[in-house]
């Protein structure tokens, strides 16, 4: 039992929370970084190797595209259907072999990454699927290489949705990171477990909840802003150009006046 | 310049099979603007897409400037595509990139780098009158402006051929005319061969040198416009000159008279009535500007039998207009 009235309570609480927060952020950041680097290409390949898409025949081999698509789809679905707690336990030998130990913040990153990758692949898959097929067709008609299509068409169009999906992925990594506390993974989940549950300190729980809430909010806010930036909403450059245009009275294109995409603010009568 | 030779393409199999192209052959001359018309589902888009191998025919060959497109793959195909630009009905611009970046993309595909790429993209935008909008997003432009960006992008790699799939179908009539005139002007300036698809006869009238009519995957008519309007029974011509249905008129023969250029100004029909003492009535008439030239068609009902009709046709022909009898 912990006594909140004891003089060392608050400094101790503070220290514990600080360490827990740091561990949670560390685990989440590393897991997310690995997830992003692995999941992004996998998601692109998963959609791209579908029949009729830009990667349907890698190296000119149609069967290869089909095979990659089938294997990838299977693995991702498998990954998504295994409950985290089972995955975590199943991974103990793997983690121990990989990192020499399965207890602690570092080893916890292994199951976190493995649970997040299939989730994130799905995020990328949806984002890529949303890209207008006409854009791929236009790129193809221009004789662009696949790599160029990915860089200049697919990614620019998919980034906003991927950014939003990243926020959701981060949230679920944080969520799962609390659970790895159970196998000695550290982080805020471990704080809640050891102080809140085993030593009955409600205050620890309250602070853990508040901190997790704030982290999730901040991540969500940042990535939503990023998504809006990436989708090119109202760049200042555009407005300047339009002002120049009106000054030049270059209204030779009659449809300018009635174009639906132009806001009220640039009505030519002003 | 573009030879489509006995090309067939079917989609699906068994009972659901759709024959999109059925033994289609088309010849597009260097430097001309060739229009393909036809109803929805006739196979126009499929045909156009075989020219840059976005669609592969089941049989037949497509040759562009001596290169057999249907035999190409990989890098060789990409290379060939650099010489074939394409514009789309819905523009297909990358929304999250600027207008300039969209045009630059075409040059990147060719391998042009750095300052040269930026410079050439701006030149292309200048050519279509949009250099001042280079930093805007496509969404900030009107439909007509977006199509001009599409044209700039399609022409950035200095192709010899421009393909256009309903490039003006999403635009209002005035903007349509501007885009058509732009295509016409650029095709002249850059020596382009243009193959375009449309369901609007106005497009054919305004810029096409030749046309083909497609129906259920087949080309049912093709040729130079001048020649088609002088061909009895041409359906392209019938669309160009809406003189109405030919109804059976007892005791009369129906004759279509088609005139172009100077003969359009001469009072040939009034003269006909005078010379033959015939009570000629006019059933319908259409005067059109085709490729900047006056052309017209008048549908006459001439009292009498086949021999009278023949005499009338002879007289009209000797006066430099084209005439033939229509059998309702
Ligand atoms: N990828 C495809 N898969 C299956 N059927 C197709 C495909 N592309 C075209 N078709 C079919 O082929 C036929 C011709 O289509 P196409 O798009 O060439 O017609 P179109 O003349 O361009 O029509 P529209 O004027 O409506 O654009 C149609 O019946 C269409 O349903
Ligand atoms: Mg079509």
């Amino acid at each position: 039992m912990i006594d909140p009235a004891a003089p060392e309570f608050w400094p101790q609480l503070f220290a514990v929370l600080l360490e827990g927060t740091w561990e949670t952020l560390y685990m989440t950041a590393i897991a997310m970084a690995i997830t992003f680097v692995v999941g992004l290409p996998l998601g692109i390949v998963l959609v791209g190797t579908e029949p009729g898409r830009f990667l349907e025949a890698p190296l000119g081999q149609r069967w290869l595209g089909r095979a990659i698509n089938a294997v990838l789809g299977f693995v991702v679905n498998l990954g998504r259907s295994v409950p985290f707690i089972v995955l975590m336990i199943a991974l103990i030998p793997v983690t121990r072999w990989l990192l020499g130990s399965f207890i602690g913040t570092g080893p916890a990153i292994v199951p976190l990454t493995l649970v997040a990758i299939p989730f994130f692949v799905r995020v990328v898959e949806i984002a890529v699927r949303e890209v207008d097929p006409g854009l791929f067709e236009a790129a193809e008609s221009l004789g662009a290489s696949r790599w160029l299509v990915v860089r200049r068409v697919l990614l620019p169009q998919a980034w906003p949705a991927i950014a939003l999906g990243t926020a959701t992925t981060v949230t679920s990594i944080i969520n799962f990171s609390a659970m790895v506390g159970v196998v000695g993974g550290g982080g805020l989940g471990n704080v809640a477990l050891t102080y809140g549950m085993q030593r009955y300190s409600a205050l620890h729980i309250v602070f853990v909840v508040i901190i997790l809430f704030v982290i999730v909010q901040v991540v969500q806010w940042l990535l939503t802003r990023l998504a809006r930036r990436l989708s090119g909403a109202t760049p200042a450059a555009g407005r300047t150009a339009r002002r120049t245009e009106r000054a030049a009275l270059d209204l030779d294109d009659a449809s300018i006046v009635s174009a639906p995409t132009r806001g009220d603010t640039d009505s030519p009568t002003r | 310049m573009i030879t489509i030779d006995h090309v067939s393409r079917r989609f699906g199999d068994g009972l659901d099979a759709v024959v999109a192209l059925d033994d289609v052959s088309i010849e597009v001359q260097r430097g001309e603007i060739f229009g393909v018309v036809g109803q929805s589902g006739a196979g126009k888009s499929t045909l156009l897409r075989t020219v840059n191998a976005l669609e592969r025919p089941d049989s037949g060959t497509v040759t562009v400037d001596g290169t057999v497109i249907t035999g190409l793959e990989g890098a060789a195909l990409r290379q060939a595509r650099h010489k074939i630009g394409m514009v789309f009905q819905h523009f297909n611009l990358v929304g999250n990139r600027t207008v300039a970046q969209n045009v630059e993309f075409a040059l990147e595909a060719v391998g042009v780098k750095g300052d040269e790429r930026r410079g050439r993209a701006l030149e292309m935008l200048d050519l279509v009158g949009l250099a001042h909008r280079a930093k805007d997003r496509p969404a900030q432009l009107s439909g007509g402006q977006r199509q001009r960006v599409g044209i700039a992008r399609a022409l950035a790699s200095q192709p010899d051929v421009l393909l256009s799939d309903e490039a003006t179908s999403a635009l209002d009539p005035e903007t349509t005319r501007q885009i058509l005139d732009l295509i016409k002007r650029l095709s002249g300036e850059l020596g382009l061969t243009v193959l375009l698809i449309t369901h609007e006869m106005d497009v054919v009238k305004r810029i096409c040198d030749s046309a083909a009519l497609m129906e259920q995957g087949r080309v049912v008519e093709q040729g130079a416009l001048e020649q088609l309007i002088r061909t009895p029974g041409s359906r392209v011509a019938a669309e160009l000159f809406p003189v109405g249905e030919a109804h059976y008129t007892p005791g009369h023969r129906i004759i279509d008279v088609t005139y172009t250029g100077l003969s359009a100004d001469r009072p040939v029909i009034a003269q006909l009535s005078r010379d033959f003492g015939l009570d000629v009535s006019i059933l319908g008439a259409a005067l059109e500007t085709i490729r900047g030239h006056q052309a017209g068609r008048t549908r006459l009902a001439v009292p009498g039998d086949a021999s009278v009709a023949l005499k009338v046709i002879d007289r009209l022909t000797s006066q430099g207009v084209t005439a033939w009898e229509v059998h309702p």
Side-chain angles (χ1 to χ4, degrees), chain B residues 50-72:
Chain B
T50 61
V51 177
N52 59 358
L54 286 181
E55 198 73 71
R56 299 284 190 166
D58 299 328
S59 60
T61 54
V62 176
T63 313
V64 176
D65 202 14
T67 309
V68 182
I69 297 293
T70 31
L72 296 180

Side-chain angles (χ1 to χ4, degrees), chain A residues 1-261:
Chain A
M1 196 70 197
I2 289 182
D3 176 16
E8 73 280 2
F9 175 82
W10 288 101
Q12 227 171 49
L13 174 75
F14 187 70
V16 162
L17 287 173
L18 196 67
E19 198 192 351
T21 304
W22 161 247
E23 283 172 356
T24 291
L25 288 177
Y26 170 83
M27 281 190 291
T28 307
I30 305 250
M32 187 62 233
I34 298 171
T35 297
F36 191 88
V37 170
V38 177
L40 184 65
L42 287 185
I44 292 171
V45 170
L46 183 61
V47 184
T49 49
E50 281 174 0
R53 296 228 178 222
F54 67 101
L55 262 177
E56 65 171 343
L59 310 171
Q61 305 296 314
R62 209 162 274 268
W63 66 268
L64 187 60
R66 271 206 296 272
I68 293 176
N69 186 269
V71 170
L72 211 53
F74 176 77
V75 170
V76 167
N77 276 333
L78 184 74
R80 272 157 35 87
S81 54
V82 176
F84 180 65
I85 201 91
V86 176
L87 180 78
M88 203 166 61
I89 293 163
L91 279 174
I92 287 175
V94 180
T95 310
R96 189 189 283 142
W97 173 77
L98 213 63
L99 301 174
S101 155
F102 67 92
I103 294 168
T105 311
I109 291 170
V110 175
L112 282 180
T113 307
L114 277 172
V115 79
I117 286 174
F119 186 94
F120 188 68
V121 167
R122 178 99 185 115
V123 162
V124 176
E125 184 191 341
I126 293 168
V128 173
R129 238 181 256 289
E130 284 292 301
V131 180
D132 177 3
L135 299 185
F136 291 104
E137 191 157 277
E140 211 183 332
S141 81
L142 291 165
S145 66
R146 286 187 190 123
W147 174 230
L148 201 62
V149 173
V150 169
R151 270 194 316 160
R152 299 296 193 226
V153 177
L154 189 153
L155 287 176
Q157 292 301 91
W159 276 139
I162 291 175
L164 291 176
T166 301
T168 320
T169 311
V170 168
T171 308
S172 69
I173 292 178
I174 290 173
N175 186 355
F176 286 124
S177 80
M179 227 186 282
V180 294
V182 178
V183 291
L188 289 169
N190 195 39
V191 173
L193 188 77
T194 48
Y195 291 86
M197 202 171 117
Q198 288 159 9
R199 297 198 226 168
Y200 314 109
S201 166
L203 270 171
H204 278 77
I205 300 269
V206 168
F207 276 103
V208 164
V209 168
I210 291 172
I211 293 169
L212 285 176
F213 176 76
V214 169
I215 294 175
V216 169
Q217 287 301 305
V218 168
V219 166
Q220 192 78 45
W221 181 78
L222 278 175
L223 287 168
T224 305
R225 270 189 62 120
L226 180 66
R228 208 171 297 147
R229 276 285 276 274
L230 290 169
S231 67
T234 62
R239 261 183 248 139
T240 327
R242 270 175 294 163
R243 225 173 286 133
T244 325
E245 175 183 79
R246 246 174 292 138
L249 273 180
D250 182 20
L251 294 170
D252 60 328
D253 190 334
S255 63
I256 288 175
V257 183
S258 55
T261 47

Side-chain angles (χ1 to χ4, degrees), chain A residues 60 132-135 137-146 148-149 151-153 155-160 229-235 237-239 241-242 244-245 250 252-262, chain B residues 49 52-54 77-79 81-82 84-86 88 90-97 102 105-106 108-110 117 129-130 132-133 135-146 148 153-154 157 172 174-175 178:
Chain A
D132 177 3
L135 299 185
E137 191 157 277
E140 211 183 332
S141 81
L142 291 165
S145 66
R146 286 187 190 123
L148 201 62
V149 173
R151 270 194 316 160
R152 299 296 193 226
V153 177
L155 287 176
Q157 292 301 91
W159 276 139
R229 276 285 276 274
L230 290 169
S231 67
T234 62
R239 261 183 248 139
R242 270 175 294 163
T244 325
E245 175 183 79
D250 182 20
D252 60 328
D253 190 334
S255 63
I256 288 175
V257 183
S258 55
T261 47
R262 295 172 70 89
Chain B
R49 291 156 51 85
N52 59 358
L54 286 181
L77 176 58
R78 284 202 298 276
Q79 209 96 45
R81 281 173 172 159
H82 296 155
I84 308 172
M86 186 167 187
F88 303 85
H90 299 293
F91 326 127
N92 294 355
L93 301 173
V94 180
N96 290 345
R97 308 197 77 216
N102 268 280
F105 176 68
E108 249 176 305
V110 184
R117 186 166 79 211
L130 282 175
H132 61 298
R133 305 297 295 264
K135 285 184 177 146
D136 281 6
R137 306 275 168 161
Q140 294 167 288
L141 305 185
S142 70
Q145 291 171 326
R146 278 183 231 181
R148 290 203 241 160
R153 179 178 68 177
S157 60
D172 61 63
E174 174 57 25
T175 314
Q178 291 175 2

Side-chain angles (χ1 to χ4, degrees), chain B residues 44-45 165-166 197:
Chain B
K44 306 181 297 290
S45 297
D165 192 348
E166 306 268 10
I197 277 177

